[in-house]
Amino acid sequence: MPDFDLSKIAVVLIFLSILVATQVVVKRSKFFRVKLDKSNNSAIKIVNTVAVSKFSSATVIECAGSLFLVVSNRNGSPAIAELPKIQQNTLTSELQPELMGK
């Protein structure tokens, strides 16, 4: 028959009660709730996914106004690169003053 020591059981019960109390405090605290709400404003959105080969794919992800290219395959770790921002001078905006002058 195993030897049960009451001090070991008491230590485990005290540790579990401290963990439960910490969880209740964190869930009810306004400080942590405000920090979590601010981080949810910048959602991650998948713009496009393309299968590059049988085992790899490329995904464009938008997060906080920036675009990222994620290339992943079945056996390796994914590679992430930030895509350059698109300039505001587009072909249609350059042609617009020309059309209005005629």
Side-chain angles (χ1 to χ4, degrees), residues 5 28 53 61 76:
D5 189 13
R28 292 186 183 202
S53 69
I61 296 175

Side-chain angles (χ1 to χ4, degrees), residues 28-73:
R28 292 186 183 202
S29 174
K30 290 182 181 178
F31 176 74
F32 292 107
R33 190 176 307 146
V34 170
K35 287 229 178 218
L36 291 175
D37 289 343
K38 287 183 181 178
S39 65
N40 288 338
N41 289 339
S42 60
I44 297 175
K45 183 171 64 168
I46 296 177
V47 177
N48 197 2
T49 301
V50 176
V52 178
S53 69
K54 186 177 178 182
F55 300 110
S56 63
S57 65
T59 305
V60 177
I61 296 175
E62 181 181 5
C63 180
S66 297
L67 292 175
F68 297 94
L69 175 67
V70 180
V71 179
S72 59
N73 59 16

